[in-house]
Amino acid sequence: MPNSRRSGAADSVPPVPGVTLDAMRESDVEHVARIEAVSFASAWQPEHFLHEILENRFAVNRVLRRGRSILGYSSVWHLDDELKINNFAIAAEQRRRGLGRWMLRHILTAAREAGCVHATLEVRDSNAAARGLYRAHGFVESGRRRGYYQREGEDAILMAAEL
Ligand SMILES: CC(C)(COP(=O)(O)OP(=O)(O)OC[C@H]1O[C@@H](n2cnc3c(N)ncnc32)[C@H](O)[C@@H]1OP(=O)(O)O)[C@@H](O)C(=O)NCCC(=O)NCCS
C-alpha cells in the first residue's frame, strides 16, 4: 500500500514539534516567495501567490508554520476531480526532517476528501528529491515534456497518481 493511503493519528503529529499546517495568508507571501526563490530556478513572485490566494477559486494554498516562521508551503489546485500540485517546497535548512512527506500526505488526504480522484504534477528531470518523495506516495511517471524548462533546456517529468 503506498504511503499516500496511510492516514490517521500518525499524520496528525508533525515531524518537527510545534509545526502546524495552515492556510496561506496575504501576510505570508513575502516569506513564502523567499523560500520559493531559493528552491526554484523559475520562481513565482509574491504577486503570483497573492493571485492564488485572492483570485483563483481553484487554489488551495498552505504554509507550514512554527511561531512566526514559515518552514514550507504548497500551492495546489482542486480542478473538479483532479488535484494539480503546482508549488511545493520546504525551506532549505528544514529539509530531510519529514516535513515534505507530512505536508504531501495532508495535501493528498484533503484532495481526496474534496472529491479528487487523480493527481498530477510536473517536476524537473534532475530533481531526485521531489521525484523520490512523489514516487513514495504512489505517483508514477506518466510522460515527459522535452526542453520544458527553456533556460536550462531541461525536461519536465509528468507524474500522476490515483487517489
Ligand atoms: C522535495 C522537497 C519538498 C522534500 O522535502 P523534505 O522535507 O526535505 O522531504 P522529507 O524529509 O519529508 O523526505 C521525504 C522523502 O523524500 C525523498 N527525498 C527528500 N530529499 C531527498 C534528497 N535530497 N534526495 C533523495 N530523496 C529525497 C526521500 O524519498 C524521502 O524519504 P526518506 O527520508 O525516507 O528517504 C524539498 O527537497 C524541497 O523543498 N525541494 C525544493 C523544491 C522542490 O523541488 N519542490 C518539489 C517540486 S515539484
Side-chain angles (χ1 to χ4, degrees), residues 91-151:
E93 70 282 4
Q94 300 292 339
R95 291 179 191 162
R96 297 312 307 249
R97 304 178 75 190
L99 287 168
R101 181 189 297 115
W102 194 65
M103 184 162 65
L104 181 58
R105 286 188 183 171
H106 280 275
I107 288 172
L108 297 175
T109 300
R112 227 178 273 126
E113 288 170 0
C116 297
V117 295
H118 314 286
T120 60
L121 59 90
E122 290 135 23
V123 60
R124 279 179 187 260
D125 199 2
S126 61
N127 193 344
R131 289 173 70 177
L133 173 66
Y134 293 128
R135 254 198 312 272
H137 290 81
F139 284 79
V140 295
E141 297 180 5
S142 58
R144 175 180 289 264
R145 292 199 180 118
R146 295 202 183 278
Y148 180 77
Y149 300 102
Q150 294 183 33
R151 194 159 41 181

Coordinates of all heavy atoms in Angstrom, one line a residue, residues 91-151:
A91 N 11.7 25.0 3.3 CA 12.9 25.9 3.5 C 14.2 25.0 3.5 O 14.2 24.0 4.2 CB 12.7 26.7 4.8
A92 N 15.2 25.5 2.9 CA 16.4 24.7 2.7 C 17.0 24.1 4.0 O 17.3 22.9 4.1 CB 17.5 25.5 2.0
E93 N 17.0 24.9 5.0 CA 17.6 24.5 6.3 C 16.6 23.5 7.1 O 17.0 23.0 8.1 CB 17.9 25.7 7.2 CG 16.8 26.5 7.8 CD 16.1 27.4 6.8 OE1 16.5 27.4 5.6 OE2 15.2 28.2 7.2
Q94 N 15.4 23.3 6.6 CA 14.5 22.4 7.3 C 14.3 21.1 6.5 O 13.4 20.3 6.9 CB 13.1 23.1 7.4 CG 13.2 24.4 8.2 CD 13.5 24.1 9.7 OE1 13.2 23.0 10.2 NE2 13.9 25.2 10.4
R95 N 15.0 20.9 5.4 CA 14.8 19.7 4.6 C 15.3 18.4 5.3 O 16.1 18.5 6.2 CB 15.4 19.8 3.2 CG 14.7 20.9 2.4 CD 15.2 21.1 1.1 NE 14.6 22.3 0.5 CZ 15.1 23.0 -0.5 NH1 16.2 22.7 -1.1 NH2 14.4 24.1 -0.9
R96 N 14.8 17.3 4.9 CA 15.2 15.9 5.4 C 14.8 15.8 6.8 O 15.4 15.1 7.6 CB 16.7 15.7 5.2 CG 17.2 15.6 3.8 CD 16.5 14.9 2.8 NE 16.1 13.5 2.9 CZ 16.7 12.5 2.3 NH1 17.6 12.7 1.4 NH2 16.3 11.2 2.4
R97 N 13.7 16.4 7.2 CA 13.2 16.2 8.6 C 11.7 15.6 8.6 O 11.1 15.6 9.6 CB 13.2 17.5 9.4 CG 14.5 18.2 9.4 CD 14.5 19.5 10.1 NE 14.3 19.4 11.6 CZ 14.1 20.4 12.4 NH1 13.9 21.6 12.0 NH2 14.0 20.2 13.7
G98 N 11.3 15.3 7.4 CA 10.0 14.7 7.3 C 8.9 15.6 7.0 O 7.7 15.3 6.8
L99 N 9.2 16.9 6.8 CA 8.1 17.9 6.6 C 7.5 17.8 5.3 O 6.3 18.0 5.1 CB 8.7 19.4 6.8 CG 9.0 19.7 8.3 CD1 9.8 21.0 8.4 CD2 7.7 19.9 9.1
G100 N 8.3 17.5 4.2 CA 7.7 17.4 2.9 C 6.8 16.3 2.8 O 5.7 16.4 2.3
R101 N 7.2 15.1 3.4 CA 6.3 14.0 3.4 C 5.0 14.3 4.2 O 3.9 13.9 3.7 CB 7.0 12.8 4.1 CG 6.2 11.5 4.2 CD 6.9 10.5 5.1 NE 8.2 10.1 4.6 CZ 9.3 10.3 5.2 NH1 9.4 10.9 6.3 NH2 10.5 9.8 4.6
W102 N 5.1 15.0 5.3 CA 3.9 15.3 6.1 C 3.0 16.2 5.4 O 1.8 16.0 5.3 CB 4.4 15.9 7.4 CG 3.4 16.1 8.5 CD1 2.8 15.0 9.2 CD2 2.9 17.3 9.1 NE1 2.0 15.5 10.1 CE2 2.0 16.9 10.1 CE3 3.1 18.6 8.8 CZ2 1.3 17.8 10.9 CZ3 2.4 19.6 9.6 CH2 1.5 19.2 10.6
M103 N 3.5 17.2 4.8 CA 2.7 18.2 4.0 C 2.0 17.5 2.8 O 0.8 17.7 2.5 CB 3.5 19.4 3.5 CG 2.6 20.4 2.9 SD 3.4 22.1 2.8 CE 4.8 21.7 1.7
L104 N 2.8 16.6 2.1 CA 2.2 15.9 0.9 C 1.1 15.0 1.4 O 0.0 15.0 0.7 CB 3.3 15.1 0.2 CG 2.8 14.4 -1.0 CD1 2.2 15.4 -2.1 CD2 4.0 13.6 -1.7
R105 N 1.2 14.3 2.5 CA 0.1 13.5 2.9 C -1.1 14.3 3.2 O -2.2 13.8 2.9 CB 0.6 12.7 4.2 CG 1.5 11.6 3.9 CD 1.8 10.7 5.1 NE 2.7 9.7 4.8 CZ 3.3 8.9 5.6 NH1 2.9 9.0 6.9 NH2 4.2 8.0 5.3
H106 N -0.9 15.4 3.8 CA -2.1 16.3 4.1 C -2.8 16.8 2.8 O -4.0 16.8 2.7 CB -1.7 17.4 5.0 CG -1.7 17.0 6.5 ND1 -2.7 17.0 7.3 CD2 -0.6 16.6 7.2 CE1 -2.4 16.6 8.5 NE2 -1.1 16.3 8.4
I107 N -2.0 17.1 1.9 CA -2.5 17.6 0.6 C -3.3 16.5 -0.1 O -4.4 16.7 -0.6 CB -1.3 18.0 -0.4 CG1 -0.7 19.3 0.1 CG2 -1.8 18.1 -1.8 CD1 0.6 19.7 -0.6
L108 N -2.8 15.3 -0.1 CA -3.5 14.2 -0.7 C -4.8 13.8 0.0 O -5.8 13.6 -0.6 CB -2.5 12.9 -0.8 CG -1.3 13.1 -1.7 CD1 -0.3 11.9 -1.6 CD2 -1.6 13.5 -3.1
T109 N -4.7 13.8 1.3 CA -5.9 13.5 2.1 C -7.0 14.6 1.9 O -8.2 14.2 1.6 CB -5.6 13.4 3.6 OG1 -4.6 12.4 3.8 CG2 -6.8 13.1 4.4
A110 N -6.6 15.8 1.9 CA -7.6 16.9 1.7 C -8.2 16.8 0.3 O -9.4 17.1 0.1 CB -6.9 18.3 1.9
A111 N -7.4 16.5 -0.7 CA -7.9 16.5 -2.0 C -8.9 15.3 -2.2 O -9.9 15.5 -2.8 CB -6.7 16.3 -3.0
R112 N -8.5 14.2 -1.6 CA -9.4 13.0 -1.6 C -10.8 13.4 -1.0 O -11.8 13.1 -1.5 CB -8.8 11.9 -0.8 CG -8.9 10.6 -1.6 CD -8.1 9.5 -0.7 NE -6.7 9.4 -1.0 CZ -5.8 9.5 -0.1 NH1 -6.0 9.7 1.2 NH2 -4.5 9.5 -0.5
E113 N -10.7 14.1 0.2 CA -11.9 14.5 0.9 C -12.7 15.5 0.0 O -13.9 15.6 0.2 CB -11.6 15.1 2.2 CG -11.1 14.0 3.2 CD -10.5 14.5 4.5 OE1 -10.5 15.7 4.7 OE2 -10.1 13.6 5.3
A114 N -12.1 16.3 -0.8 CA -12.7 17.2 -1.7 C -13.3 16.6 -2.9 O -13.8 17.3 -3.8 CB -11.8 18.4 -2.0
G115 N -13.0 15.3 -3.1 CA -13.6 14.6 -4.3 C -12.6 14.4 -5.4 O -13.0 14.0 -6.5
C116 N -11.4 14.7 -5.2 CA -10.4 14.5 -6.3 C -10.0 13.0 -6.3 O -9.9 12.4 -5.3 CB -9.1 15.3 -6.0 SG -9.3 17.1 -6.0
V117 N -9.9 12.5 -7.5 CA -9.5 11.1 -7.7 C -8.2 10.9 -8.5 O -7.7 9.8 -8.5 CB -10.7 10.3 -8.4 CG1 -11.9 10.2 -7.5 CG2 -11.1 10.8 -9.7
H118 N -7.7 11.9 -9.1 CA -6.5 11.9 -9.8 C -5.6 13.0 -9.3 O -6.1 14.1 -8.9 CB -6.6 12.2 -11.3 CG -7.7 11.4 -12.0 ND1 -7.6 10.1 -12.2 CD2 -8.9 11.9 -12.5 CE1 -8.7 9.7 -12.8 NE2 -9.5 10.8 -13.0
A119 N -4.3 12.8 -9.3 CA -3.3 13.9 -9.0 C -2.3 14.0 -10.1 O -1.9 12.9 -10.6 CB -2.7 13.6 -7.7
T120 N -1.9 15.2 -10.5 CA -0.9 15.4 -11.5 C 0.1 16.5 -11.0 O -0.2 17.3 -10.2 CB -1.5 15.8 -12.8 OG1 -2.1 17.0 -12.7 CG2 -2.4 14.8 -13.4
L121 N 1.3 16.4 -11.6 CA 2.3 17.4 -11.3 C 3.4 17.3 -12.4 O 3.5 16.3 -13.1 CB 2.9 17.3 -9.9 CG 3.6 16.0 -9.6 CD1 5.1 16.0 -9.9 CD2 3.4 15.6 -8.1
E122 N 4.3 18.3 -12.4 CA 5.5 18.3 -13.3 C 6.7 18.5 -12.4 O 6.6 19.4 -11.4 CB 5.5 19.5 -14.3 CG 4.4 19.4 -15.4 CD 3.7 20.7 -15.6 OE1 4.3 21.7 -15.2 OE2 2.6 20.6 -16.1
V123 N 7.7 17.9 -12.7 CA 8.9 18.0 -11.9 C 10.2 18.0 -12.8 O 10.1 17.3 -13.9 CB 9.0 16.9 -10.8 CG1 9.0 15.5 -11.4 CG2 10.1 17.1 -9.8
R124 N 11.2 18.7 -12.5 CA 12.4 18.7 -13.3 C 13.0 17.3 -13.3 O 13.1 16.6 -12.2 CB 13.4 19.7 -12.7 CG 13.2 21.1 -13.1 CD 14.2 22.0 -12.5 NE 13.9 23.4 -12.8 CZ 14.4 24.1 -13.8 NH1 15.4 23.6 -14.5 NH2 14.0 25.3 -14.0
D125 N 13.6 16.9 -14.4 CA 14.2 15.7 -14.6 C 15.3 15.5 -13.5 O 15.4 14.4 -12.9 CB 14.9 15.7 -16.0 CG 15.2 14.3 -16.5 OD1 14.9 13.3 -15.7 OD2 15.8 14.2 -17.6
S126 N 16.0 16.5 -13.2 CA 17.2 16.4 -12.2 C 16.7 16.5 -10.8 O 17.6 16.3 -9.9 CB 18.1 17.6 -12.5 OG 17.4 18.8 -12.2
N127 N 15.4 16.6 -10.5 CA 15.0 16.8 -9.1 C 14.7 15.5 -8.4 O 13.6 15.0 -8.2 CB 13.7 17.7 -9.1 CG 13.4 18.2 -7.7 OD1 14.0 17.7 -6.7 ND2 12.6 19.2 -7.6
A128 N 15.9 14.8 -8.1 CA 15.8 13.5 -7.5 C 15.0 13.5 -6.2 O 14.3 12.5 -5.9 CB 17.2 12.9 -7.3
A129 N 15.1 14.5 -5.4 CA 14.5 14.6 -4.1 C 13.0 14.6 -4.3 O 12.3 13.8 -3.7 CB 14.9 15.8 -3.3
A130 N 12.4 15.4 -5.1 CA 11.0 15.5 -5.3 C 10.5 14.2 -6.0 O 9.4 13.7 -5.6 CB 10.6 16.7 -6.1
R131 N 11.2 13.7 -7.0 CA 10.7 12.5 -7.7 C 10.7 11.4 -6.7 O 9.7 10.6 -6.7 CB 11.6 12.2 -8.8 CG 11.5 13.2 -10.0 CD 12.4 13.1 -11.1 NE 12.2 11.9 -11.9 CZ 12.9 11.5 -12.9 NH1 13.9 12.3 -13.4 NH2 12.6 10.4 -13.6
G132 N 11.6 11.3 -5.8 CA 11.6 10.2 -4.7 C 10.5 10.4 -3.8 O 9.8 9.4 -3.5
L133 N 10.2 11.6 -3.4 CA 9.1 11.9 -2.5 C 7.8 11.5 -3.1 O 7.0 10.8 -2.5 CB 9.1 13.4 -2.1 CG 7.9 13.9 -1.3 CD1 7.9 13.2 0.1 CD2 7.9 15.4 -1.2
Y134 N 7.6 11.9 -4.4 CA 6.3 11.6 -5.0 C 6.1 10.1 -5.3 O 5.1 9.6 -5.1 CB 6.2 12.4 -6.3 CG 6.0 13.9 -6.1 CD1 6.9 14.8 -6.7 CD2 5.1 14.4 -5.2 CE1 6.7 16.2 -6.5 CE2 5.0 15.8 -4.9 CZ 5.8 16.7 -5.6 OH 5.7 18.0 -5.3
R135 N 7.2 9.5 -5.7 CA 7.2 8.1 -6.0 C 6.7 7.3 -4.7 O 5.9 6.4 -4.8 CB 8.5 7.5 -6.5 CG 8.6 7.2 -8.0 CD 9.7 6.3 -8.4 NE 11.0 6.8 -7.8 CZ 11.8 7.7 -8.4 NH1 11.5 8.2 -9.5 NH2 12.9 8.0 -7.8
A136 N 7.3 7.7 -3.6 CA 7.0 7.0 -2.4 C 5.5 7.2 -2.0 O 5.0 6.5 -1.1 CB 7.9 7.6 -1.3
H137 N 4.8 8.1 -2.6 CA 3.4 8.4 -2.3 C 2.5 8.0 -3.5 O 1.4 8.6 -3.7 CB 3.2 9.8 -1.9 CG 3.8 10.1 -0.6 ND1 5.1 10.3 -0.4 CD2 3.3 10.1 0.7 CE1 5.4 10.5 0.9 NE2 4.3 10.4 1.5
G138 N 3.0 7.0 -4.3 CA 2.1 6.4 -5.3 C 2.1 7.1 -6.6 O 1.4 6.7 -7.5
F139 N 2.9 8.1 -6.8 CA 3.0 8.7 -8.2 C 3.9 7.9 -9.1 O 4.9 7.4 -8.7 CB 3.6 10.2 -8.1 CG 2.6 11.2 -7.5 CD1 2.4 11.3 -6.2 CD2 1.9 12.0 -8.4 CE1 1.5 12.2 -5.6 CE2 1.0 13.0 -7.9 CZ 0.8 13.1 -6.5
V140 N 3.4 7.9 -10.3 CA 4.3 7.2 -11.4 C 4.5 8.2 -12.5 O 3.8 9.2 -12.6 CB 3.6 5.9 -12.0 CG1 3.4 4.9 -10.9 CG2 2.2 6.3 -12.6
E141 N 5.6 8.0 -13.2 CA 5.9 8.9 -14.3 C 5.0 8.6 -15.5 O 5.0 7.5 -16.0 CB 7.4 8.8 -14.6 CG 8.2 9.2 -13.4 CD 9.7 9.1 -13.6 OE1 10.2 8.8 -14.7 OE2 10.4 9.3 -12.6
S142 N 4.3 9.6 -15.9 CA 3.3 9.4 -17.0 C 3.6 10.1 -18.3 O 2.9 10.0 -19.2 CB 1.9 9.9 -16.5 OG 2.1 11.3 -16.1
G143 N 4.7 10.8 -18.3 CA 5.1 11.5 -19.6 C 6.3 12.4 -19.4 O 6.8 12.5 -18.2
R144 N 6.8 13.0 -20.5 CA 8.0 13.8 -20.4 C 7.7 15.0 -21.4 O 7.3 14.8 -22.5 CB 9.2 13.0 -20.8 CG 10.5 13.8 -21.0 CD 11.6 12.8 -21.4 NE 12.0 11.9 -20.4 CZ 13.0 12.1 -19.5 NH1 13.8 13.2 -19.6 NH2 13.3 11.2 -18.6
R145 N 8.0 16.2 -20.9 CA 8.0 17.3 -21.9 C 9.4 17.8 -22.1 O 10.0 18.3 -21.3 CB 7.2 18.5 -21.2 CG 5.7 18.2 -21.1 CD 4.9 19.5 -20.9 NE 3.5 19.1 -20.8 CZ 2.8 19.4 -19.7 NH1 3.3 20.1 -18.7 NH2 1.5 19.0 -19.6
R146 N 9.8 17.5 -23.3 CA 11.3 17.8 -23.7 C 11.5 19.3 -23.7 O 10.8 20.0 -24.3 CB 11.6 17.1 -25.0 CG 11.5 15.6 -25.0 CD 12.3 14.9 -26.0 NE 12.1 13.5 -25.9 CZ 12.7 12.7 -25.0 NH1 13.6 13.2 -24.3 NH2 12.4 11.4 -24.9
G147 N 12.6 19.7 -23.0 CA 13.1 21.0 -23.0 C 12.1 22.0 -22.4 O 12.2 23.2 -22.7
Y148 N 11.2 21.5 -21.5 CA 10.1 22.4 -21.0 C 10.7 23.6 -20.2 O 10.2 24.7 -20.3 CB 9.3 21.5 -20.1 CG 8.1 22.2 -19.4 CD1 7.0 22.5 -20.1 CD2 8.2 22.5 -18.0 CE1 5.9 23.1 -19.4 CE2 7.1 23.1 -17.4 CZ 6.0 23.4 -18.1 OH 4.9 24.0 -17.5
Y149 N 11.8 23.3 -19.5 CA 12.4 24.4 -18.7 C 13.5 25.1 -19.7 O 14.6 24.6 -19.8 CB 13.1 23.9 -17.4 CG 12.0 23.3 -16.5 CD1 11.9 21.9 -16.4 CD2 11.2 24.0 -15.8 CE1 10.9 21.3 -15.6 CE2 10.2 23.4 -14.9 CZ 10.1 22.1 -14.9 OH 9.1 21.5 -14.1
Q150 N 13.0 26.1 -20.3 CA 13.7 26.6 -21.5 C 15.1 27.1 -21.2 O 16.0 26.9 -22.0 CB 12.9 27.6 -22.3 CG 11.6 27.0 -22.8 CD 10.8 28.0 -23.6 OE1 11.3 28.9 -24.2 NE2 9.5 27.8 -23.5
R151 N 15.2 27.8 -20.1 CA 16.5 28.4 -19.8 C 17.6 27.4 -19.8 O 18.7 27.6 -20.3 CB 16.5 29.2 -18.5 CG 17.6 30.1 -18.3 CD 17.3 31.2 -17.3 NE 16.6 30.7 -16.1 CZ 16.2 31.5 -15.1 NH1 16.5 32.8 -15.1 NH2 15.6 31.0 -14.1

